[in-house]
Each structure stands twice: as C-alpha cells, then as structure tokens.
Amino acid sequence: MNFNWDLILTEFSENLINIRKTKNMSQEMVAGLDLSVRNYQKIEKGETFPSFKSIVIISNNLNVHPGKLFDLPSLKSLNNSQKKAKT
C-alpha cells in the first residue's frame, strides 16, 4: 500500500493549526514546557512529522484526544479502502 506522506503531513499540520486556533491558543501555549516552540513551529509548518512523545504533549496541552490530531481526510479514505478490500 502506498502512502502519500506529503499529503498526510500537510493535512496533519492544517488540522493542528485549526484545532489550536479554535481553542484560541498560541504556539507557545501548545508547545508548553516539554516541547520547544521552534520544534512545534516546524510541525505546524509541515516541515517534520512529530514524534509520539510530541503528539502526546501537544494533545495534552490542547486538551484533545491524540486521535483528533489524526482526523485527516487521507487517513479516512485509507480506512474506507481497507474495509472495501476485506469485503
């Protein structure tokens, strides 16, 4: 199965920005004390994938379930194509 990693990273970054802005939080607030603001900015800009630790820190600081960060169209379509393949 092929993954379009660039698309996933772009969608992840856009989703993260939308969640942060919906909660009226700054990048500094989301990064908190355990993640450098610069590293968080790289994630938001789509320059790098976050580590598992960063995902947990970000979701905790945003007060959302980590799965919400992965509520992405490309991953939803992946799930739908897997279900179709099984039937």
Side-chain angles (χ1 to χ4, degrees), residues 69-87:
L69 302 177
F70 294 98
D71 188 16
L72 313 174
S74 59
L75 295 181
K76 286 179 183 177
S77 65
L78 173 68
N79 191 31
N80 290 336
S81 65
Q82 287 177 341
K83 287 178 183 176
K84 288 178 185 175
K86 289 181 181 179
T87 57

Side-chain angles (χ1 to χ4, degrees), residues 9-41:
L9 183 56
T10 298
E11 290 177 352
F12 183 89
S13 300
E14 290 171 355
N15 188 41
L16 182 57
I17 291 167
N18 288 335
I19 294 169
R20 178 178 62 79
K21 287 185 176 182
T22 299
K23 294 187 170 275
N24 295 314
M25 295 178 72
S26 67
Q27 292 178 329
E28 291 79 9
M29 292 169 72
V30 178
L33 298 176
D34 297 315
L35 182 65
S36 76
V37 175
R38 179 65 191 126
N39 193 20
Y40 178 79
Q41 289 171 334

Side-chain angles (χ1 to χ4, degrees), residues 1-5 78-79 81-82 85:
M1 181 169 287
N2 293 328
F3 293 99
N4 185 337
W5 294 109
L78 173 68
N79 191 31
S81 65
Q82 287 177 341

Side-chain angles (χ1 to χ4, degrees), residues 42-53:
K42 285 182 176 182
I43 295 167
E44 263 199 12
K45 286 182 178 180
E47 294 176 2
T48 185
F49 279 104
S51 67
F52 181 74
K53 180 180 178 181

